[in-house]
Amino acid sequence: LMGQLVELATVARRDGVLALESKLGEVKDPFLKRALGFLVDGVEASVARSTLEQEIEVEAEEAGVSAKFWADFGALCPTIGVLGAVFG
């Protein structure tokens, strides 16, 4: 990822920000691709920043929900084992 960022920065410095549009297809990371899309499209920096920050918050919240599910499930497993021993 760092190598790709250095390459993109070099292209932007050498050929201008609009030259990054031709590189968008090579970017695999969806977050970076969206950020570069904002840059190429000329989206105002404050709008791009708030949108990307909101995306980070949503992603973190979704990850927290998944983690809580598995933690709760892990806490339930010993109970299921005891029930299996009693009824088995």
Side-chain angles (χ1 to χ4, degrees), residues 35-75:
L36 288 173
F38 286 153
L39 184 63
V40 169
D41 291 341
V43 173
E44 190 175 323
S46 62
V47 173
R49 182 182 184 128
S50 66
T51 302
L52 293 170
E53 285 176 346
Q54 186 175 20
E55 185 176 330
I56 290 170
E57 289 173 14
V58 168
E59 186 71 29
E61 189 174 309
E62 288 175 357
V65 168
S66 297
K68 182 176 178 349
F69 168 80
W70 289 112
D72 291 347
F73 185 74

